Amino acid sequence: IDAAGSQVKQECTQYAGQSQSGFITTQGGNLLCSKIIHLIHNPNVKSQVSKVLNECELRLYRSVAFPAIGTGQAGQSPAKVADDMLDAIVEFASKRTVQHLQKIKIIIFQTNMLRDFYESMKKREGSGSSTTTESWMSIFKSFLSWGKKQPTEKKKPVVLEKKVDLATFQICGESQKDVDATESWIKDLILKEQFENSISDDLIENFDERQIDTLADLQRRKHVTIHLENKLSPPCITISGISRDVCFVSVEVQKMIQKVKDTEEERSKAELVYNLVEWRYPGSNDSFVAFDKLTNMHLEDAKIAKKRHLTVKINRKNYRVDLITLQANDEQGKTINIQRVPKNEGKL
């Protein structure tokens, strides 16, 4: 509450007596989130987590982060809390009606609790539970955030989970021959609509969480299955499903690869420019601070192109830079001087 700020405290005071579902919702305040759901104390952790997940789905939220509920002042057993929270998440994720909430995180700051949550997940994997639950557990491993950065591991093949709704045909006919012929005809129709396409590119290895999320979204919206194999050389994305959707997704994947390529090329160029010239803005104690490398490149490109002005960000504020006078003005009219310092006079 203290970190969220005074506005959130005021909202809590205002809504405290209006809770009908065991929680109240406020703005995110100073925290890096849009909303905060405040739970009224209840020893039933599973019920509380379920309520929050259903509320998030109802409000069309795409992600939610939980602390280890009840392990603080409530003094509940971390092992029991881990079981209750994961039970609630498994039940929620298995619903066919879930469409909007895509990411669930459990933030654990106390390192001694990591083992409890890890064992809770392992227990589910080895309990002989249904295939659906096991597939969801493979997703939860990536959802859990342990409160500290994990060691970098060798990349493994990524399989994007997809729920498939089966269609059942019941065929009736005058003879077994007619039934067999109809079954064969239906299978041929299905096969004619099926298509598979593989895209190989070294840049696929640079796909981060944003690109993986985009692939997952494409798979949800289209009648396709996407398999990302990043242990191959070069890495490969295989798309299979209905032909028209495979073609659409293939084009989107090519766009993603091109965007990664453009980003890599821009970074390389920015690094090269930074080795030749450094643009700086005023810092503290009469010192000057170097712009980030991309802004540095944009300023140098603008100067080479003989542009008079360029808008850049300095300390999260927009400044309009005069590339001739090397002065920058913010939206309130404040003026500062910037510097252009060549690092190799012979090459500039």
Side-chain angles (χ1 to χ4, degrees):
I1 292 294
D2 291 337
S6 58
Q7 179 185 352
V8 173
K9 289 183 179 179
Q10 291 174 3
E11 286 188 70
C12 286
T13 302
Q14 179 182 350
Y15 300 136
Q18 302 177 19
S19 171
Q20 296 180 349
S21 304
F23 61 84
I24 59 174
T25 303
T26 67
Q27 299 299 316
N30 297 330
L31 301 183
L32 299 177
C33 60
S34 59
K35 302 287 184 181
I36 303 175
I37 297 178
H38 306 263
L39 293 167
I40 309 301
H41 174 66
N42 184 333
N44 191 336
V45 171
K46 181 179 176 181
S47 173
Q48 288 189 307
V49 173
S50 297
K51 286 180 180 179
V52 172
L53 293 175
N54 288 324
E55 177 72 5
C56 290
E57 178 67 15
L58 180 65
R59 300 296 180 186
L60 311 185
Y61 300 154
R62 297 176 64 87
S63 64
V64 62
F66 290 93
I69 297 173
T71 58
Q73 294 182 356
Q76 293 202 43
S77 163
K80 183 179 184 303
V81 167
D83 287 341
D84 289 346
M85 293 188 73
L86 291 178
D87 281 345
I89 295 173
V90 168
E91 290 182 8
F92 173 81
S94 300
K95 294 179 181 178
R96 289 179 177 270
T97 55
V98 176
Q99 296 180 353
H100 306 287
L101 187 58
Q102 298 178 14
K103 184 173 293 186
I104 305 168
K105 290 187 178 182
I106 300 177
I107 311 297
I108 303 173
F109 297 101
Q110 300 88 341
T111 56
N112 60 308
M113 293 185 191
L114 298 181
R115 176 60 56 183
D116 295 308
F117 279 82
Y118 177 75
E119 291 297 335
S120 183
M121 288 195 300
K122 292 295 290 183
K123 183 168 58 179
R124 283 167 172 74
E125 280 191 317
S127 63
S129 55
S130 68
T131 303
T132 302
T133 301
E134 288 175 0
S135 66
W136 278 108
M137 284 308 301
S138 68
I139 301 176
F140 293 150
K141 287 183 179 179
S142 65
F143 280 167
L144 287 176
S145 174
W146 301 121
K148 60 180 183 179
K149 199 168 183 178
Q150 298 294 309
T152 302
E153 296 180 358
K154 191 174 182 179
K155 290 187 176 180
K156 299 179 180 179
V158 178
V159 180
L160 302 172
E161 300 292 341
K162 185 175 182 68
K163 292 192 292 185
V164 179
D165 294 327
L166 298 179
T168 302
F169 292 88
Q170 292 184 337
I171 306 170
C172 300
E174 294 181 355
S175 66
Q176 184 62 43
K177 182 180 179 181
D178 290 342
V179 171
D180 292 342
T182 303
E183 181 182 358
S184 177
W185 176 73
I186 292 174
K187 287 181 177 179
D188 287 342
L189 283 179
I190 294 173
L191 289 174
K192 285 179 182 178
E193 280 295 315
Q194 296 301 301
F195 185 63
E196 182 175 287
N197 184 36
S198 295
I199 301 173
S200 298
D201 197 294
D202 288 325
L203 291 172
I204 293 174
E205 188 176 12
N206 296 333
F207 276 18
D208 58 21
E209 186 178 350
R210 291 171 297 175
Q211 280 84 37
I212 300 301
D213 287 346
T214 300
L215 290 176
D217 182 60
L218 286 169
Q219 184 173 248
R220 267 190 302 272
R221 293 188 291 110
K222 300 296 180 179
H223 297 285
V224 298
T225 298
I226 301 174
H227 182 77
L228 194 159
E229 176 60 84
N230 51 7
K231 291 182 70 176
L232 295 178
S233 183
C236 176
I237 292 177
T238 301
I239 308 155
S240 56
I242 296 178
S243 55
R244 64 176 181 272
D245 286 346
V246 170
C247 292
F248 175 85
V249 173
S250 297
V251 171
E252 293 302 306
V253 170
Q254 293 287 8
K255 290 179 181 178
M256 292 165 61
I257 293 173
Q258 184 61 46
K259 190 172 182 179
V260 171
K261 180 180 179 181
D262 293 343
T263 300
E264 292 294 318
E265 290 179 349
E266 187 176 43
R267 286 175 180 170
S268 297
K269 180 183 176 183
E271 188 70 36
L272 176 62
V273 172
Y274 184 74
N275 290 331
L276 299 176
V277 63
E278 183 176 283
W279 288 77
R280 301 171 180 173
Y281 61 90
S284 57
N285 300 324
D286 297 326
S287 63
F288 277 80
V289 180
F291 283 96
D292 65 87
K293 293 179 181 179
L294 285 177
T295 303
N296 187 79
M297 178 187 68
H298 294 152
L299 284 165
E300 187 64 16
D301 284 349
K303 178 176 175 58
I304 293 173
K306 296 183 179 180
K307 292 183 179 179
R308 178 63 189 264
H309 298 101
L310 181 71
T311 299
V312 300
K313 280 195 177 295
I314 300 176
N315 296 327
R316 298 183 179 180
K317 288 185 178 181
N318 287 327
Y319 278 80
R320 191 166 185 260
V321 177
D322 187 317
L323 294 166
I324 296 177
T325 64
L326 298 186
Q327 290 186 327
N329 298 297
D330 67 7
E331 295 171 348
Q332 284 71 45
K334 178 183 176 181
T335 301
I336 61 174
N337 294 318
I338 64 172
Q339 295 180 345
R340 177 183 180 273
V341 182
K343 293 186 177 181
N344 191 331
E345 291 289 354
K347 293 186 179 181
L348 291 176

